[in-house]
């Protein structure tokens, strides 16, 4: 997009015939978009993931991801008397997941991301479960359920999206082509 610079790099290496290890770095830079407001924002992720295919239907993966975000404050102005303070956050998460191909078209997967260091309200520990149905060359449909250990918080807000007593899950239904 016009006001954003994204970077993505992956180094992957096969581990025998059934697995691989991948080192990935991603960075999203929103500085230009926020410059008019007087602020800047970046998000970086560095991950190392090992995948192993146990048989034709079952595969496992495990790894570690370091998430870091940095949002420069937006000063108060005549048009907006509210200022936003600098926010720097980082969290390290361990990841463990499995995918099972029930049929040629249907696959089921689950993944747990557990925080093992640091804190970032926008990246809580979470569990994801998904069912996908392949439509051949026309894409796929899926249902994905996400459970988080704490309510999500937007980087530029000081309040929670949902109160602590509210549910911390979301259901997503989609079609990909």
């Amino acid at each position: 997009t016009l006001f954003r610079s994204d970077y993505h790099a992956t180094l992957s290496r096969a581990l025998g015939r059934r697995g691989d290890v991948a080192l990935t770095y991603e960075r999203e830079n929103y500085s230009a978009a926020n410059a008019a407001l007087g602020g800047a924002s970046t998000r970086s992720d560095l991950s190392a993931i090992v995948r192993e295919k146990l048989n034709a239907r079952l595969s496992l993966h495990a790894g570690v991801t370091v998430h870091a975000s940095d949002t420069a404050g937006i000063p108060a102005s005549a048009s907006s008397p509210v200022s936003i303070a600098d926010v720097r956050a980082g969290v390290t998460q361990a990841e463990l997941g499995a995918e099972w191909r029930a049929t040629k078209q249907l696959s089921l997967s689950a993944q747990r991301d557990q925080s093992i260091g640091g804190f970032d309200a926008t990246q809580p520990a979470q569990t994801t479960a998904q069912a996908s149905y392949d439509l051949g060359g026309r894409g796929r449909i899926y249902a994905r359920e996400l459970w988080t250990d704490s309510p999500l918080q937007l980087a530029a807000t000081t309040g929670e999206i949902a109160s602590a007593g509210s549910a911390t899950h979301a259901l997503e239904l989609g079609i990909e082509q």
Side-chain angles (χ1 to χ4, degrees):
T1 45
L2 182 61
F3 295 110
R4 194 167 98 180
S5 299
D6 294 341
Y7 304 97
H8 178 95
T10 298
L11 176 63
S12 183
R13 176 92 174 153
L15 297 175
R17 295 182 308 185
R18 301 182 332 178
D20 66 83
V21 62
L23 181 62
T24 302
Y25 175 73
E26 296 181 70
R27 178 180 170 97
E28 295 177 342
N29 182 358
Y30 301 95
S31 297
N34 291 340
L37 300 173
S41 177
T42 59
R43 173 111 188 143
S44 300
D45 296 322
L46 177 63
S47 64
I49 308 292
V50 176
R51 292 176 187 81
E52 182 75 21
K53 189 171 184 178
L54 300 180
N55 58 42
R57 292 185 164 194
L58 182 62
S59 63
L60 303 174
H61 68 272
V64 175
T65 301
V66 177
H67 304 280
S69 62
D70 186 9
T71 302
I74 299 174
S77 66
S79 62
S80 176
V82 177
S83 64
I84 298 173
D86 289 355
V87 177
R88 288 179 178 77
V91 64
T92 301
Q93 292 183 320
E95 174 183 312
L96 182 62
E99 181 175 2
W100 178 56
R101 271 207 172 288
T103 68
K104 186 176 179 181
Q105 292 85 17
L106 178 66
S107 66
L108 306 172
S109 63
Q111 179 174 311
R112 174 68 182 169
D113 297 316
Q114 181 64 49
S115 298
I116 56 175
F119 176 75
D120 184 346
T122 64
Q123 195 69 43
Q126 59 191 24
T127 303
T128 307
Q130 178 172 307
S132 299
Y133 189 82
D134 189 0
L135 300 172
R138 299 178 313 231
R140 71 180 180 105
I141 57 175
Y142 65 90
R144 180 182 303 136
E145 183 79 20
L146 169 69
W147 297 271
T148 63
D149 285 6
S150 63
L152 292 175
Q153 182 177 357
L154 295 175
T157 67
T158 56
E160 296 173 344
I161 292 175
S163 67
S166 298
T168 54
H169 71 275
L171 173 64
E172 179 181 352
L173 302 173
I175 301 172
E176 289 182 350
Q177 290 187 336

